[in-house]
Amino acid sequence: MAAAGDGPWLDDAAGRLVRPFTVSDGRTRPTVELDLMSQVMATGATPFGYLGPEHAQALELCRAPLPVAEVAAHLKLPLAVTKVLLADLVDSGGLTTKPPVFDHNPTDRALLEAVLDGLRRQL
């Protein structure tokens, strides 16, 4: 069970009590190139250096591979902040990352037509 200060600091009426830029110490650029769909996974090694509660939450989430976008959604943090946190964990040895693997050609005409047909059915 987590201690009271271990989770995100939220208030039902006010929302997040700690502003996202404080979570990343004001940094806006990650030291590692991360795409929205890059997969991140915990290495099992204990990260070196100080880690905040959001770092610990990210490590917990990444026991199994997750895309960066999904980690951001679970942490309820902006993508830029999440990328900085994940890069911190990669730099400290706690996470590993790999680029997204696409099983299809994103410019495949048949795929684009199928997406368009699906969108038309929704409207």
Side-chain angles (χ1 to χ4, degrees):
M1 179 155 178
D6 289 344
W9 297 351
L10 298 174
D11 178 271
D12 290 336
R16 189 171 191 77
L17 298 177
V18 175
R19 298 295 171 229
F21 64 86
T22 61
V23 173
S24 63
D25 292 330
R27 294 172 292 143
T28 59
R29 295 179 191 238
T31 57
V32 176
E33 186 69 32
L34 294 170
D35 183 85
L36 277 173
M37 296 306 295
S38 295
Q39 298 286 309
V40 288
M41 183 173 174
T43 62
T46 303
F48 55 87
Y50 170 76
L51 298 176
E54 287 82 3
H55 289 91
Q57 279 185 294
L59 271 178
E60 183 69 26
L61 286 169
C62 295
R63 287 185 182 183
L66 278 179
V68 171
E70 193 169 333
V71 175
H74 283 291
L75 293 177
K76 296 181 174 127
L77 287 172
L79 188 60
V81 173
T82 301
K83 285 182 178 183
V84 170
L85 293 178
L86 294 176
D88 290 348
L89 290 168
V90 170
D91 292 343
S92 69
L95 283 183
T96 186
T97 182
K98 66 179 185 174
V101 178
F102 296 106
D103 296 336
H104 60 277
N105 176 1
T107 59
D108 178 25
R109 184 176 178 91
L111 174 65
L112 295 173
E113 287 176 356
V115 170
L116 183 58
D117 289 342
L119 289 172
R120 285 182 180 149
R121 279 193 296 269
Q122 293 295 322
L123 298 174

